[in-house]
Amino acid sequence: MKKVNYLFGLLLLFIGVLLILANFGVIEIVWDNLWPLFVLIAGILFELSYFIYREKAGLLVPGGILTTYGFLFLVNVKYGWHLMEDLWPIFPLGVAIGLFQLFLFGGREKGLLIPVGILGVISLFFLINNLLFVDFRFLAGIVLVVGGIWVIFKKNRSDNGT
């Protein structure tokens, strides 16, 4: 508990000093560009609270989501919101990251891998499609061919008893 209070106190002290310096004109704070930091800091605080206490692994889910979204919003604020046209698959990927952290640090409940896999595959599929400018039909065809080959060979192995 003392570690968290110490870190939180330092964070408040740092923010307070920045605000005072901005009030006297020593530094300029452009709030339009800094708001994603609040989302990012909230996510990092969730993450840190789990790793400091080593209890309540459920804190990693909102931590992973908010940290991912905070980075996404920072990129968009820095380079322009037109990027959201291609980066929108990061939203479900953030949920997959949070749930995967819960799987890793929360007892390895295999049921969590189902939504992680579904969200992760769909997100990465559309992210690759958007960023590499691959034709959706071509990428879908590749995924279906690979999936079909996997199903055929998986079935053959189980028929042979291996």
Side-chain angles (χ1 to χ4, degrees):
M1 185 70 170
K2 291 181 182 181
K3 289 180 188 179
V4 173
N5 287 342
Y6 183 73
L7 290 174
F8 187 65
L10 283 175
L11 179 67
L12 290 177
L13 181 68
F14 177 73
I15 292 172
V17 168
L18 284 178
L19 291 175
I20 290 170
L21 290 174
N23 194 37
F24 286 115
V26 176
I27 60 172
E28 181 180 351
I29 297 176
V30 181
W31 292 106
D32 293 343
N33 297 336
L34 292 181
W35 68 267
L37 288 177
F38 292 109
V39 177
L40 182 62
I41 289 170
I44 291 171
L45 287 175
F46 274 115
E47 299 276 343
L48 285 176
S49 9
Y50 168 74
F51 288 110
I52 289 173
Y53 291 126
R54 292 288 180 180
E55 300 173 5
K56 301 177 184 173
L59 292 171
L60 293 171
V61 176
I65 293 170
L66 291 175
T67 303
T68 304
Y69 292 177
F71 281 123
L72 174 64
F73 294 151
L74 278 173
V75 166
N76 282 287
V77 163
K78 175 81 173 153
Y79 298 107
W81 285 96
H82 65 280
L83 292 176
M84 193 60 78
E85 182 178 322
D86 294 324
L87 297 179
W88 64 264
I90 292 178
F91 285 111
L93 186 63
V95 176
I97 289 170
L99 290 173
F100 188 64
Q101 286 181 330
L102 179 62
F103 169 76
L104 287 178
F105 300 105
R108 302 212 179 238
E109 183 181 328
K110 295 203 186 279
L112 284 171
L113 291 178
I114 294 170
V116 167
I118 292 170
L119 289 170
V121 167
I122 289 172
S123 299
L124 291 175
F125 177 81
F126 284 110
L127 196 59
I128 290 169
N129 185 50
N130 290 347
L131 295 180
L132 298 180
F133 306 108
V134 177
D135 183 19
F136 177 76
R137 293 170 294 176
F138 178 69
L139 190 59
I142 290 174
V143 168
L144 291 173
V145 166
V146 169
I149 291 170
W150 180 75
V151 167
I152 289 170
F153 284 110
K154 180 182 176 202
K155 182 171 174 52
N156 285 340
R157 281 189 301 189
S158 64
D159 288 343
N160 293 335
T162 56

